[in-house]
Amino acid sequence: MSRSEATPSPRRQELLEAAYAYALRSGLAELSLRPLAEEIKSSPRVLLYLFGSKDGLVRALLARARADELTAVRRLAAQRRPSQGLASVAEELWRWLSDDAHRGLLKLWVESYARSLVEPDGPWAGFAGDTVADWLALLADAQPPRTRDTDAGLAQRTLVLAALRGALLDLLATGDRERTGSAVRRLLATVE
């Protein structure tokens, strides 16, 4: 951890938020410090000083994106009633995932997920696995303990997560909310 990460300055936080807004619009695949710095009214030198390296900046942006994702997941978890069940919670998750307001974050998530699989030792390291664990934990909380703590319960959560991710990828590629939503609802009707 660099000194700037241990004691984040207001300027670092300000530039992180501006860079995050940029990443939501443009993604991270072709991130170059010079255009980013110009867009957020900074310089490559300042970014390198505050984040240590381009990889340090990417790690900070991924942490920021994951924080947004976790905030949304926790908000959904807090709103659910204990008796709702897995299918109902998964439907709420689908509503959130298919909302156009979250498109930038979800495209960034897909890009980061894929990069963490292809570049497991780079700044993306662990991103995919961490997000799987986050979502499986939320889905586990929707299951009764007698199901949650079984192999069948884990398989059920995994199936739901795989369906949500697959439908999300399809929705992002096609924009067809009706078809993908119908498929998700059809699968969820068989879950419980």
Side-chain angles (χ1 to χ4, degrees), residues 109-149:
W109 175 84
V110 168
E111 177 186 5
S112 301
Y113 191 95
R115 292 287 293 265
S116 78
L117 298 175
V118 177
E119 300 175 33
D121 298 325
W124 321 89
F127 185 84
D130 290 344
T131 62
V132 169
D134 296 337
W135 288 89
L136 285 176
L138 173 68
L139 294 171
D141 288 344
Q143 293 177 302
R146 69 183 184 286
T147 305
R148 175 187 319 138
D149 300 329

Side-chain angles (χ1 to χ4, degrees), residues 86 136 139-141 143-159 191:
L86 183 59
L136 285 176
L139 294 171
D141 288 344
Q143 293 177 302
R146 69 183 184 286
T147 305
R148 175 187 319 138
D149 300 329
T150 66
D151 289 342
L154 177 59
Q156 189 180 46
R157 296 192 291 281
T158 301
L159 173 65
V191 166

